[in-house]
Each structure stands twice: as structure tokens, then as C-alpha cells.
Amino acid sequence: MSDKIAAFRALHVPGNPLILVNIWDAGSARAVAAAGAKAIATGSYGVAGAQGRADGEDFPLEDVFENLARILSVTDLPVTIDMESGYGADAAAVGASVGRAKAAGAAGINMEDRLPGAGELLPLAEAVARYRAAADTGIFINARCDTFRGQDAAKDGDALVAATLERARAYADAGAGSLFVPFLLDPKYIGAICDASPLPVNILRDKGGPTHRELAALGVGRISHGHQSWAGAMAWLTAQAQQVLGGEEPDY
């Protein structure tokens, strides 16, 4: 297992990013693996949505691990799972939950620095303690930093970059393997974070933001598709069902 974690870590190369088309179950994992993926990553929104649940740790932890087991049964690629806020009320509980993910065979996890449903980021010291507990398990930690969430980058971009880099340094010291900065589309600030971050930077690809090639040129080390692959699949399914139920033939 340590070899798979090391192999997954090595895929995070600034300028030559690991591209993750996020999946939600074993079937979608098999489809993405067949397309040539280098690793498999779940997205919590799609995983929960596929079971009719809400994002925000509404999907029970036992179900998270059952889903992981099914995914691992269909691929030999490194698998990283979105564990939202770490499924723990405190650092010790986070460490226990993440330790189970590693024992089950996950090579990495994604973990946020705010609690489910909370608008505010965790105080830095508390976030660091939770990341340290997760990293101490030996699994690869993609530390999500929500400094840009709900903020106006055009107005406060420089201050948000400074706040992000402060957390990046602290999360790196805690043992995180990469820094995930979602809700950021401005190339100027993406590049500034990539230039100064001690960790490879993960950016959420968005249709209105930089392309994969542009993100690579900015120094990004990992590109995620988040909930967009699941949402796209569901939109396609709904459209096809509307065609059929409206009396037409489907496109498939």
C-alpha cells in the first residue's frame, strides 16, 4: 500500500498536472479508468447525489467505505476519496476515520478546512490539528483551503492569496501532500499561489476558467473536475429521458 501512496504522490507535478475526472461509484470508476486515467478520485457531491443524499457528510461513513471497497474491486489504480471535513468532531476522531480509509486501501483523501454546513473556515490551529491527525496515518492528504469560497477575488485577491499561502505553509508543516484551492478562476491569483505554495496546487476546473493547458502553464500540479462529471451525466440522462417520454427516440 505504501508503494501505491508513493506512486500517487509522484503524480502531483507542478506544470504537468494530474487530471482527475471525479467519479461516484464502481461503474463510473471503471469507465474513467478505461479512458486512460492515472488515478481515480471520488467527489463527495456526486457520491452522495448518486444515493439520493445531500453533500456535507450526509452520506454515512460506513457507506463511504462500502463504496470505496466496490471501487477498489474494479481498479488497480490509486484511489483517493473525498472525506469532506474528515468525518470527525475533533482531531482524534478525524485520525480514526482517515486511518480506516488507509486501512481499506485508499491512497489518498480530500479534506476540507471547514465543518459541514459551516460558512466560516476553521481557526488555523484547529484545522492544522485535524490535518496533522489525518496525515499521521500515512495516507496522502489533499488539503482543501476554502479561502476564496464566497469571496470577491477581483476586490480582495491579494489578501486572499496571502491568507491562502499562510494556510498552505501550515498545512504543509502538518503533513499535507497538496493544496486544493476551489472557487478560484483568476489566472493571476492561481499563478501567484502556485509560485509561492510549498505544496503542489490543486485547482477545480470550471468551464468559465482556465483550460487544462492554461492551468498547467500556471504551475498547477493537480486538476479536479469535482461534481461536474456527475452533474453532466445526470443532465444527459434527464435530457434523454425527456426525449423518450416525450415520444421521441433517444440519442443512444
Side-chain angles (χ1 to χ4, degrees):
M1 190 60 217
S2 60
D3 289 346
K4 190 160 285 189
I5 294 171
F8 182 61
R9 185 183 301 275
L11 293 172
H12 295 72
V13 181
N16 184 24
L18 168 64
I19 297 176
L20 297 171
V21 180
N22 297 74
I23 57 90
W24 51 93
D25 61 10
S28 54
R30 178 174 281 171
V32 170
K38 295 180 180 179
I40 297 296
T42 69
S44 64
Y45 192 102
V47 168
Q51 301 301 320
R53 306 298 288 261
D55 198 21
E57 296 189 12
D58 182 55
F59 194 60
L61 186 60
E62 296 306 318
D63 291 345
V64 170
F65 292 130
E66 287 182 13
N67 194 43
L68 171 62
R70 289 192 289 269
I71 292 167
L72 289 168
S73 73
V74 300
T75 182
D76 290 325
L77 293 171
V79 174
T80 182
I81 62 170
D82 188 344
M83 290 193 69
E84 305 200 53
S85 299
Y87 281 86
D90 56 28
V94 167
S97 295
V98 176
R100 287 184 61 190
K102 179 175 181 285
I109 68 156
N110 185 78
M111 191 171 126
E112 303 172 16
D113 56 1
R114 62 182 178 88
L115 297 179
E120 302 273 330
L121 272 65
L122 286 163
L124 183 55
E126 185 176 351
V128 165
R130 294 168 71 89
Y131 281 127
R132 180 171 289 117
D136 282 349
T137 67
I139 205 169
F140 183 93
I141 307 297
N142 187 40
R144 175 168 154 172
C145 181
D146 271 358
T147 44
F148 279 84
R149 182 176 180 266
Q151 302 300 313
D152 186 352
K155 177 183 175 184
D156 301 315
D158 291 338
L160 293 170
V161 167
T164 301
L165 292 173
E166 178 187 16
R167 287 191 174 245
R169 290 186 286 270
Y171 298 167
D173 289 343
S178 58
L179 178 76
F180 181 28
V181 189
F183 315 114
L184 173 59
L185 301 180
D186 191 310
K188 173 184 175 182
Y189 298 123
I190 294 173
I193 292 171
C194 290
D195 288 345
S197 173
L199 296 170
V201 175
N202 178 190
I203 293 295
L204 182 67
R205 177 264 176 200
D206 190 280
K207 192 173 183 179
T211 65
H212 292 97
R213 288 184 180 180
E214 289 168 342
L215 289 170
L218 290 169
V220 170
R222 170 169 166 167
I223 301 171
S224 301
H225 283 223
H227 80 286
Q228 296 168 91
S229 48
W230 176 81
M234 294 304 100
W236 179 88
L237 178 59
T238 297
Q240 295 304 303
Q242 288 173 336
Q243 283 185 210
V244 171
L245 297 176
E248 301 178 17
E249 294 298 312
D251 296 332
Y252 53 82

